[in-house]
Amino acid sequence: MTIDNSDYGGFVVSKNVLAGKQIHYTFREKSSIAALNGWTVYSVADDDKYVNEADNFQVVSASTLFKLAPVMLELFNAPYGTDLCWLYEQRGPYRFL
């Protein structure tokens, strides 16, 4: 699938997710930076100390995030205020709480 990155803007993603850790929590809030779409993505390994350090995050494109978590394509345009906890189960890869 080809994604036009210019349609979505940048996603703020934990470097733990980029290193292969499962996504645990995602939320979207209106960003004051036009190049960002408001999505922030945390991993299962991220604790309060980790998320409070800006160097632990990287801005990535929609195509990069899609490669890591294809289901995010369905969520890219969710409204501001969307707040999802990812739950992984044996019967399927995940569901949201």
Side-chain angles (χ1 to χ4, degrees):
M1 166 174 250
T2 302
I3 294 175
D4 184 349
N5 289 313
S6 65
D7 288 343
Y8 299 105
F11 296 77
V12 177
V13 179
S14 163
K15 288 183 179 177
N16 283 328
V17 171
L18 298 174
K21 300 278 188 195
Q22 290 181 324
I23 295 173
H24 176 66
Y25 183 67
T26 54
F27 64 92
R28 188 174 191 206
E29 59 188 8
K30 190 155 181 75
S31 176
S32 60
I33 301 169
L36 299 178
N37 60 31
W39 278 109
T40 301
V41 181
Y42 292 159
S43 84
V44 295
D46 300 347
D47 59 15
D48 287 340
K49 183 178 179 183
Y50 187 89
V51 301
N52 286 318
E53 180 61 45
D55 288 340
N56 291 330
F57 292 85
Q58 184 174 329
V59 176
V60 302
S61 67
S63 58
T64 297
L65 189 55
F66 176 74
K67 288 176 190 172
L68 295 168
V71 71
M72 280 297 296
L73 181 62
E74 297 176 36
L75 306 172
F76 283 175
N77 292 316
Y80 298 116
T82 298
D83 187 350
L84 301 168
C85 183
W86 294 44
L87 177 64
Y88 297 83
E89 298 182 325
Q90 288 183 347
R91 67 176 183 207
Y94 47 74
R95 66 183 174 132
F96 302 107
L97 299 176

